[in-house]
Amino acid sequence: MRNDIEADLRECLTYISADWKMQTNFRDKETRFIYDAESLADCLEMIEKHKVDKSYALHRWYNYMTSVRCEQIFCEYGAKHCDDEYNHDVDIYVNSVPFDVKLTVYPAKLQDKPFDLSARSGKDGLIRWFYLNQSQQSRKQLSNRLYVVCDGENPAERLRMKSDFPLLRRKIKAFMDFCSLHGLNRITIDERGETYSLYSDIIYVTNDTKS
């Protein structure tokens, strides 16, 4: 990834809003070129060439590039990156355990804050909510997952926080330090009558000093 990609991501925010159309396999397929766009200029050029929804494609590019950077931050603090770039279930290894990393924003459906994210039980409650409310299309997974959840005062701030890399670095470092001392969180998920035992956790990203 280019060293100046953070500037591109900040500029990308001037093109998109916090509104996000529901992802579909069809829209994802017609905007697969975002994985080949190494800069915002590249992405804009490809959008024009393929005549696709500009907002949808730029949202996908922003989400993809911020996620890649997020994975790199985990690796700065001891995680190992998966060598197989085509493995959709594994991005990194933490303490030799494979994880899919999900950089996301706090769910709009949970604005009443039903889960106390300062407590283990609250984090586990949100983890179960994420697993049970994820996409029912090809992205649905029941693998080990780390949720990096950005929570600001409004949707625009939450979207911006996904590219606030100094803040992400501080929160992820605190999480990795905790894991090195206390190990990883294990949780059970009930799905369609089956019970799955997984490793999963929440890295709750806010602008305060708490980790």
Side-chain angles (χ1 to χ4, degrees):
M1 180 179 286
R2 293 166 35 250
N3 292 332
D4 59 345
I5 194 64
E6 294 183 18
D8 272 15
L9 290 168
R10 288 192 294 270
E11 184 179 351
C12 185
L13 287 171
T14 67
Y15 288 88
I16 61 178
S17 70
D19 295 331
W20 174 237
K21 295 178 181 178
M22 182 178 293
Q23 280 190 261
T24 67
N25 290 339
F26 174 77
R27 288 195 184 113
D28 285 356
K29 184 177 181 180
E30 69 175 7
T31 56
R32 281 193 60 81
F33 59 81
I34 62 105
Y35 298 113
D36 298 319
E38 296 184 0
S39 68
L40 177 59
D42 287 345
C43 193
L44 290 170
E45 182 178 340
M46 293 177 184
I47 289 169
E48 180 64 25
K49 175 182 177 181
H50 293 278
K51 305 298 182 185
V52 297
D53 186 315
K54 182 177 180 180
S55 177
Y56 190 90
L58 286 176
H59 262 103
R60 288 200 71 209
W61 184 78
Y62 180 82
N63 287 339
Y64 171 66
M65 296 301 279
T66 54
S67 293
V68 171
R69 180 67 100 189
C70 184
E71 293 165 22
Q72 291 174 340
I73 294 173
F74 275 101
C75 293
E76 289 176 15
Y77 296 108
K80 302 297 182 184
H81 207 273
C82 180
D83 292 332
D84 181 4
E85 63 179 308
Y86 299 106
N87 189 329
H88 298 295
D89 295 327
V90 181
D91 294 317
I92 62 172
Y93 293 84
V94 178
N95 297 351
S96 300
V97 176
F99 282 99
D100 175 39
V101 176
K102 177 66 173 177
L103 175 62
T104 189
V105 297
Y106 190 86
K109 294 179 179 179
L110 300 180
Q111 289 309 300
D112 57 344
K113 305 287 185 175
F115 303 110
D116 178 5
L117 297 182
S118 66
R120 179 72 268 165
S121 60
K123 288 185 176 181
D124 287 350
L126 182 55
I127 289 168
R128 291 190 175 95
W129 187 93
F130 273 129
Y131 274 104
L132 297 178
N133 287 273
Q134 63 185 310
S135 170
Q136 300 300 307
Q137 298 196 46
S138 65
R139 291 168 300 280
K140 187 174 180 66
Q141 297 174 323
L142 284 169
S143 55
N144 299 330
R145 179 172 280 186
L146 294 175
Y147 292 94
V148 183
V149 181
C150 297
D151 189 10
E153 294 184 358
N154 53 61
E157 183 180 2
R158 293 177 196 126
L159 186 66
R160 179 196 59 77
M161 290 170 72
K162 294 177 73 173
S163 59
D164 186 342
F165 297 108
L167 177 61
L168 291 173
R169 185 169 282 106
R170 179 163 58 85
K171 298 292 183 174
I172 290 171
K173 180 182 185 300
F175 170 78
M176 294 295 288
D177 288 346
F178 181 88
C179 288
S180 68
L181 292 174
H182 303 286
L184 298 164
N185 183 57
R186 199 168 188 108
I187 187 172
T188 57
I189 306 290
D190 294 323
E191 169 75 4
R192 298 182 181 180
E194 298 288 335
T195 298
Y196 300 85
S197 181
L198 310 167
Y199 287 103
S200 187
D201 216 331
I202 297 282
I203 296 92
Y204 186 46
V205 181
T206 63
N207 282 315
D208 59 24
T209 59
K210 298 177 182 179
S211 298

